[in-house]
Amino acid sequence: MSEQERILQLRADLHRHNHNYYVLNQPSISDQEFDALLRELADLESRHPELNDPNSPTQRVGSDLAGDFETVRHQRPMLSLANTYNKQEVTEFYERVRDALGGEPFEICCELKFDGLSIALHYEHGALVRALTRGDGEQGDDVTSAVRTIRTVPLLLQQGAGWPDSFEIRGEVLMPWASFEALNRDREAREEPLFANPRNAASGTLKSKNTAVVAERHLDAYLYYLLGDTLPADGHYENLQEAKRWGFKVSDAMRKVQSLQEIFDFIDYWDVERRNLPVATDGIVLKVNSLRQQRTLGMTAKSPRWAIAYKFQAERQSTILREVTFQVGRTGAVTPVANMDPVQLSGTIVRRATLHNADFMTALDLHVGDHVLVEKGGEIIPKIVCVDPDFADAPRGERITFIQRCPECGAELVRYEDEAAWYCPNETGCPPQIRGRIEHFVSRRAMGIDAIGPETIDDYVSRGLIHNYADLYQITADQINGQWGTRERSAQKIVAAIAASREVPFERVLFALGIRFVGETTAKTLARAFHDIDALARATLNDLLAVNSIGLVIAESVMRWFRDADNALLIERLRAYGLQMSLSEEALSAQSERLAGLSIVISGVFVHHSRDEYKALIEQNGGKNVGSISKKTSFILAGENMGPAKREKAEKLGIPLVTEDEFLQRLNPTSND
Ligand code: IVH
């Protein structure tokens, strides 16, 4: 067999194994075997670029290239469904359909309403050619390369299964609960904001410009609507069963019924059983099954008359509020938490609910001993909706007010302008803040010391081994070896990892210090503007404000941080341990102000450098890399294959396009390359 033939065979085999594993849940080979075949294929493909195929199984891992989405008009508008919230409204829908069909018998297909984001997939000759988001219903974003990474979406359909040459199938992209929880745990450890629910997480993921990120987040897709000029059957249900045979993931929770009672049974069953599903659902969808009858019923401007959604009630329970406690987070933000009598809610026992912040808490007007209504909706964290009106006349306990002093260290709380939260300002003496700062210091984007996680830090702090991040550099392997379950090898690994962080460049050290409002980008800006820590520490308010994109809030925070004697001592210690306290020669010589004040959009695919490298180049030269084109964009760094929608927008706004070579010339006018 030639290499070319082997490529084709491997692709066919891998598509089949993939379907068996992800869609049918019946693996036909081991993970190792699968990986070995995939590696073999990737290897062969790299030697045969002429056989490049966007639907090859190797494309499922994504790439960090790709990028901005093109907006594409839907062939058929993506309508939404009218919502109903009770059985009376369902009955009315049923009767409307019955009357409009003039007494003709009809069937209703009952399905789950998946709570993700809707997607339209187009197939030509059995291959996925395009995936669009719903967008505004008329036009959506082309997210084909992101969708290719979703393992349950077939890139090629099962051979010989009799699919039409051209069709569209719609469904929902979802992040399963398990992936969602893992993702949030990960984000928490990295101090990144958490996703409120799997829908937001799925949507954020699919829109990520980096499809490698999409690939690793394990999205899933359920398909529920087949469209096309030639479809296998007149029944919606029958068409979906057919689509299942072509390779699509179609939910098993579908029933064809012929009476209102059966609809209610379906609703009641899934209202409870949905708690055991791997993905989020927020209701039931009812569809008239016959496509002919669907055409008879037609549409209103926004939604079809042949379908309706029934939304599940978020479950609410009444319970008694016992007290409100206050939690101090890593940044010093204080969050009020309601402690209640335990109550069973959507399958879990709830005792606590977040009250978010002082304003939210005050608006609820809570008193000790109040009966409150607790709800668990699409969000995972239960919330107090209101004081239970059934107990409006009950005598009330003491009114709950927000605290004025930190419950952890006693410092007087402060509120910063434009922020909802109250903060404990005792950054260096308040225990959760101490732990939080060290966790931030070691985190991946800061000093990148992954050998120690939050639990180890908690341990070291509570046992008095360290009090701040400078103490990390004094830890010896002997001190931690055999302690708290640390074996010798990992003790040495930890010490080595800490030592290695001395090479981390200055701008990341600056970010790692944990100066309030100094995030990654601001740290870079400051490093570029002041070059070393001493110059930054000496900077006056005016010096700081003179730097592009540094405003009063950041400037004051930086001043405050460096004025603090404890912080000055930290810096001296870190310097003595050998951390980078100034920009490297290399970084210094690479930088200029040639792009100062310019907002630059990067679009397309490049030859000389990666997108990330161009982003770094823009920043090193004082420019700002922005995501989307607007009036304020100075120019577009345009590579190959820039999307037509972007091109059109740039043209309309009169924003110049600069090629890769022109751009490099501009940064380095003397060089000839
Ligand atoms: S059918 C014209 N079926 O709910 C009918 N939609 O507002 C098209 N959804 O945008 C939709 N599960 O994202 C249909 N089994 C299901 C669904 C479903 C979830 C979503 C879909 C749509 C929204 C309706």
Side-chain angles (χ1 to χ4, degrees), residues 78-83 111-119 134 170-172 224-225 236 282 285 287 299 303-304 306-307 309:
M78 282 182 87
L79 302 177
S80 60
L81 296 172
N83 285 325
E111 304 171 13
L112 291 172
K113 185 170 188 314
F114 294 102
D115 192 13
L117 70 152
S118 35
I119 192 89
R134 178 167 187 277
R170 294 183 185 168
E172 206 84 352
Y224 47 62
Y225 189 19
H236 161 78
D282 61 344
V285 179
K287 300 172 184 168
M299 323 260 181
S303 51
W306 46 265

Side-chain angles (χ1 to χ4, degrees), residues 124-142:
E124 304 281 347
H125 307 290
L128 174 69
V129 290
R130 181 178 288 152
L132 301 178
T133 63
R134 178 167 187 277
D136 61 4
E138 294 291 330
Q139 311 186 54
D141 281 335
D142 185 333

Side-chain angles (χ1 to χ4, degrees), residues 3-129:
E3 287 192 339
Q4 282 88 338
E5 282 164 343
R6 178 72 182 147
I7 288 181
L8 299 184
Q9 184 192 27
L10 281 168
R11 284 177 182 167
D13 288 352
L14 284 163
H15 278 304
R16 190 164 36 81
H17 294 311
N18 186 76
H19 179 252
N20 291 342
Y21 185 93
Y22 287 103
V23 181
L24 303 180
N25 270 326
Q26 287 163 352
S28 37
I29 54 171
S30 73
D31 291 0
Q32 287 84 344
E33 287 167 313
F34 187 92
D35 287 344
L37 293 179
L38 194 64
R39 263 200 308 278
E40 184 188 344
L41 176 59
D43 202 48
L44 287 171
E45 283 181 345
S46 69
R47 276 186 274 143
H48 293 278
E50 78 283 3
L51 289 183
N52 182 26
D53 176 358
N55 283 331
S56 165
T58 52
Q59 300 302 305
R60 297 238 190 232
V61 293
S63 122
D64 62 0
L65 257 186
D68 315 313
F69 305 110
E70 215 183 298
T71 313
V72 178
R73 181 161 293 278
H74 291 294
Q75 279 173 10
R76 301 173 180 82
M78 282 182 87
L79 302 177
S80 60
L81 296 172
N83 285 325
T84 60
Y85 295 89
N86 55 52
K87 290 185 178 165
Q88 178 54 37
E89 290 174 319
V90 172
T91 307
E92 284 162 19
F93 163 74
Y94 195 80
E95 288 171 351
R96 262 200 318 275
V97 168
R98 190 189 54 204
D99 295 348
L101 293 177
E104 181 180 294
F106 62 96
E107 290 182 307
I108 297 284
C109 182
C110 307
E111 304 171 13
L112 291 172
K113 185 170 188 314
F114 294 102
D115 192 13
L117 70 152
S118 35
I119 192 89
L121 309 176
H122 292 263
Y123 285 80
E124 304 281 347
H125 307 290
L128 174 69
V129 290

